[in-house]
Amino acid sequence: MNTRKAVASATMKDVALKAKVSTATVSRALMNPEKVSQATRNRVEQAAIDVGYYPQAPGRNTKRNESRTLLVIVPDICDPFFSEIIRGIEVTAAQEGYLVLIGDCAHQNQQEKTFIDLIITKQIDGMLLLGSRLPFDASIEEQRNLPPMVMANEFAPELELPTVHIDNLTAAFDAVNYLHELGHQRIGCIAGPEEMPLCHYRLQGYVQALRRCGITVDPHYIARGNFTYEAGARALEQLLALPKPPTAVFCHSDVMALGALSYAKRQGLKVPDDLSIIGFDNISLSEFCDPPLTTVAQPRFEIGREAMLLLLDQLHGQNVSSGSRLLDCELIIRGSTGNILS
């Protein structure tokens, strides 16, 4: 029992400290022994045995299907949006006997070496990315040596991965167009971070809808946030301070929309009489806030499930093409939006 615990808890860093070398040298000694001297190789091997590191003979060609463990990289584990996607992944993985590890990219700098350790020692068979970037730096050549990967929710064509997501541009277009149909002309946008592809597409949907409706796009009506409640509140504060504040706001996430809703109520505004608010994602809380939130419903469980099935296909030796698999979404109309009264 004690030996098994030691094996589970020891890391490459422990080996490096014991052998008095860098983690990079440990990696080379175990995975590419021809790249280090025999003396260094012997010292690293002995240190690995001493600390109870994952047993990996030098140059050993470990089959990837031996660990039956998968790594899911989440942009921010605190964001409730990801819960249903992760559930879809886990339920589907469990049916095939796979264990799922969760890696939180919000603390990327601390976790980067851990992710690399898992890959180098073949402790994971595959990876699911719920964001648009790898959780560590890897050249194109190095990416070819990584285990099979699938992307869910986001879209990053440069990574050339099989991807499951929705049409964010069209979903945003429909949401903003709905606000125009209610009579709104001054429509603001609380957008997410510029570097996220899905935010780019949702912003494009907002811009295209305004243009289609004959409304001039005013950059002052676009505020940025980082998908937190606080960011939604700050962004609405910024929009309401304009000489002619918006009568409706389209938010890139429900979390930011709920932050905006809370701020509006604290300022004495009535939603939707004074301000209409639309969110995006249809997290559980959106149905139970006051008033309930109009939002774009993503099939989050299905996104997780379909992405997991694509990864399983790769693990079973099937050739899975890169590119998008689009799932349907739906505008759910609730009490946070209404006709303009003025």
Side-chain angles (χ1 to χ4, degrees):
M1 289 293 287
N2 291 336
T3 304
R4 294 182 69 85
K5 283 183 182 176
V7 168
S9 60
T11 67
M12 187 178 289
K13 189 174 181 182
D14 297 326
V15 180
L17 289 170
K18 182 75 175 177
K20 295 184 173 60
V21 296
S22 68
T23 51
T25 300
V26 173
S27 169
R28 282 193 292 271
L30 296 179
M31 306 306 296
N32 303 103
E34 69 279 1
K35 293 185 177 180
V36 300
S37 68
Q38 183 65 47
T40 300
R41 179 175 161 185
N42 291 344
R43 196 158 81 247
V44 169
E45 286 177 28
Q46 187 56 51
I49 294 167
D50 290 346
V51 302
Y53 186 60
Y54 185 82
Q56 175 88 26
R60 175 182 166 194
N61 183 20
T62 307
K63 292 181 180 177
R64 281 184 172 148
N65 63 6
E66 285 182 348
S67 84
R68 303 200 64 86
T69 302
L70 307 170
L71 178 62
V72 178
I73 303 297
V74 186
D76 185 358
I77 199 71
C78 297
D79 189 334
F81 164 74
F82 293 107
S83 59
E84 275 296 291
I85 295 183
I86 293 170
R87 196 171 71 86
I89 290 169
E90 286 208 300
V91 167
T92 311
Q95 289 168 350
E96 295 292 324
Y98 282 87
L99 175 70
V100 173
L101 302 179
I102 307 295
D104 181 10
C105 243
H107 308 100
Q108 181 174 334
N109 293 335
Q110 298 153 31
Q111 297 292 339
E112 185 172 325
K113 288 183 172 59
T114 306
F115 297 148
I116 294 171
D117 286 357
L118 288 170
I119 292 165
I120 287 174
T121 58
K122 309 290 189 190
Q123 291 184 68
I124 57 167
D125 297 343
M127 294 171 60
L128 271 159
L129 303 180
L130 302 192
S132 60
R133 291 182 297 183
L134 289 169
F136 44 79
D137 291 329
S139 67
I140 296 299
E141 191 171 318
E142 287 169 332
Q143 284 182 36
R144 294 193 189 101
N145 297 324
L146 294 176
M149 287 190 290
V150 170
M151 179 174 284
N153 174 54
E154 262 289 12
F155 180 58
E158 67 277 6
L159 290 180
E160 298 181 351
L161 297 177
T163 307
V164 182
H165 60 119
I166 64 163
D167 183 344
N168 283 285
L169 192 154
T170 301
F173 180 97
D174 292 343
V176 175
N177 189 61
Y178 171 68
L179 290 172
H180 180 258
E181 288 174 352
L182 292 174
H184 295 279
Q185 292 288 324
R186 301 200 306 271
I187 302 171
C189 179
I190 297 179
E194 283 186 71
E195 66 270 14
M196 294 183 66
L198 63 81
C199 297
H200 170 77
Y201 292 117
R202 289 176 194 177
L203 188 58
Q204 284 301 304
Y206 164 81
V207 168
Q208 289 185 24
L210 292 188
R211 287 175 176 163
R212 182 71 63 87
C213 297
I215 300 172
T216 302
V217 179
D218 185 346
H220 294 101
Y221 275 40
I222 301 169
R224 289 278 180 184
N226 63 353
F227 286 138
T228 62
Y229 298 105
E230 295 81 7
R234 285 195 301 270
L236 184 61
E237 180 182 16
Q238 179 184 329
L239 294 174
L240 292 179
L242 294 170
K244 287 188 174 180
T247 61
V249 177
F250 165 62
C251 304
H252 280 192
S253 78
D254 284 347
V255 168
M256 291 196 296
L258 291 168
L261 175 63
S262 173
Y263 180 81
K265 291 166 79 171
R266 290 200 305 273
Q267 296 304 303
L269 297 177
K270 292 182 179 178
V271 177
D273 294 354
D274 300 321
L275 180 71
S276 286
I277 300 175
I278 287 186
F280 206 111
D281 294 332
N282 197 31
I283 63 173
S284 298
L285 193 55
S286 66
E287 188 179 355
F288 298 102
C289 58
D290 180 29
L293 191 64
T294 297
T295 185
V296 176
Q298 293 204 60
R300 293 180 294 144
F301 183 90
E302 285 303 313
I303 288 173
R305 172 178 160 76
E306 290 300 316
M308 187 68 241
L309 289 173
L310 285 177
L311 186 57
L312 288 170
D313 284 346
Q314 290 186 70
L315 295 173
H316 295 154
Q318 295 183 33
N319 186 23
V320 177
S321 63
S322 62
S324 296
R325 278 78 169 167
L326 287 177
L327 300 186
D328 292 333
C329 57
E330 179 186 3
L331 181 63
I332 306 292
I333 296 168
R334 298 195 183 107
S336 69
T337 49
N339 292 294
I340 187 166
L341 300 181
S342 57

